[in-house]
Amino acid sequence: MYNLLIVDDEVETREALSSYFPWDEVGFDIIGQVSNGQEALQFIAGDERVDVVLTDIKMPVMSGIELAENLYNSKRNIKIVFLSGYRDFEYAQKALHYKVTNYVLKPAKYHVLMDVFIKVKEDIETENTVNEGPPKLEIDRLKGDESLIINKIKTYVNENYSEASLEEVAKQVHMNANYLSFFFKQKTGQNFSDYLLKVKMEIAVHLLQNVSYKTYEISEMIGYSNAKNFTRTFKGYYGKTPSEYRNGQVAP
């Protein structure tokens, strides 16, 4: 786990950021919340190790830009991510030479935070690998975790195809449903809905081999409460109705 400090002069923003996002699942532990850059420097000077600072740009006493400049000049190995409004972006660009890692626009969106902090974690672990020289790159472990997540998603769908849904699978892997959809497409090249449909249709073909099952029974078994919807979907997928497939005894 890497230590994250949140810096923002708005209490509501700090609280929302700390509670709204599953930081521990990405690999971060929120060790403090402060209201301006000066308080951030005081916190960093304390006993706690800070790996990453997520900071607003415009704050009283000391801005995020000034905080980034101070950390840069003191040569502290701390990653900085700016939190900014659209109007602040041009202002934020001026601080890029302070090695600011990335920026997140307000209001912070789940998938943006996920993408940014996965990348921040990769950067930290890659740097640790270079500095410490372990035999295996930590970034490979991260990729391995992604493979495990995809495997868990596919296993759940294959075992629970009748009631599987994007929302239900998202609960199983502790992801936001929208982000899971994006993640699955990015890692497999296939939409989640297409994968679920593929599994259901392949199960349906298998069940059709058993003539003791009626079409409406197969429909219910794979999660279609309406047999007409099942027949329409099956024909759209294979080019023939379930009855035509069964009577023809030719695999589609």
Side-chain angles (χ1 to χ4, degrees):
M1 298 288 282
Y2 297 101
N3 291 340
L4 172 67
L5 175 65
I6 295 178
V7 188
D8 196 295
D9 59 312
E10 297 178 353
V11 176
E12 296 81 2
T13 299
R14 297 199 304 268
E15 291 298 328
L17 282 169
S18 63
S19 59
Y20 143 87
F21 188 75
W23 293 106
D24 56 332
E25 294 177 19
V26 189
F28 292 91
D29 181 26
I30 295 179
I31 58 168
Q33 301 178 35
V34 296
S35 62
N36 59 63
Q38 187 175 88
E39 290 181 5
L41 291 176
Q42 292 170 350
F43 187 96
I44 291 168
D47 295 331
E48 290 280 3
R49 185 191 85 249
V50 176
D51 299 300
V52 184
V53 171
L54 174 60
T55 179
D56 192 12
I57 292 179
K58 294 184 177 179
M59 297 178 291
V61 185
M62 180 182 286
S63 70
I65 299 286
E66 293 169 317
L67 171 61
E69 180 181 12
N70 190 291
L71 293 176
Y72 176 79
N73 290 334
S74 62
K75 302 188 185 312
R76 289 185 176 273
N77 188 25
I78 296 176
K79 301 290 183 186
I80 301 171
V81 177
F82 275 154
L83 190 63
S84 70
Y86 283 99
R87 294 180 181 176
D88 298 334
F89 178 58
E90 184 177 347
Y91 184 43
Q93 286 182 307
K94 298 177 182 178
L96 291 180
H97 64 283
Y98 296 141
K99 294 188 177 179
V100 173
T101 302
N102 213 320
Y103 74 95
V104 175
L105 290 175
K106 288 184 175 182
K109 297 186 183 302
Y110 185 99
H111 72 278
V112 174
L113 281 174
M114 182 68 73
D115 289 346
V116 166
F117 278 89
I118 284 177
K119 181 62 169 61
V120 170
K121 182 183 177 184
E122 288 180 355
D123 290 345
I124 293 174
E125 292 179 340
T126 300
E127 289 176 7
N128 289 344
T129 298
V130 171
N131 294 333
E132 299 170 13
K136 181 173 175 59
L137 287 174
E138 285 294 319
I139 194 170
D140 289 338
R141 183 181 65 76
L142 179 64
K143 291 179 179 177
D145 289 345
E146 291 177 348
S147 297
L148 288 174
I149 293 171
I150 293 297
N151 287 337
K152 185 174 182 178
I153 292 170
K154 289 184 174 181
T155 298
Y156 183 84
V157 170
N158 279 273
E159 294 178 352
N160 303 274
Y161 49 84
S162 63
E163 67 267 10
S165 66
L166 181 64
E167 290 72 19
E168 188 58 37
V169 175
K171 292 178 184 178
Q172 301 300 316
V173 295
H174 309 291
M175 280 186 178
N176 171 277
N178 290 333
Y179 182 73
L180 185 147
S181 178
F182 165 80
F183 175 82
F184 191 86
K185 173 73 172 181
Q186 183 185 55
K187 301 304 175 184
T188 68
Q190 184 177 30
N191 291 325
F192 173 82
S193 58
D194 291 338
Y195 180 75
L196 177 58
L197 178 61
K198 173 179 176 289
V199 171
K200 286 189 173 189
M201 293 299 100
E202 289 176 351
I203 296 293
V205 162
H206 175 73
L207 293 173
L208 283 167
Q209 309 294 327
N210 188 336
V211 295
S212 65
Y213 291 130
K214 299 184 183 301
T215 298
Y216 75 86
E217 291 176 323
I218 294 174
S219 170
E220 293 174 353
M221 291 168 72
I222 65 171
Y224 289 88
S225 58
N226 188 315
K228 289 183 179 179
N229 288 341
F230 165 60
T231 297
R232 187 182 305 113
T233 302
F234 189 96
K235 185 172 183 179
Y237 195 84
Y238 287 122
K240 58 183 71 177
T241 67
S243 296
E244 289 171 343
Y245 167 76
R246 171 176 276 170
N247 294 335
Q249 295 184 344
V250 178

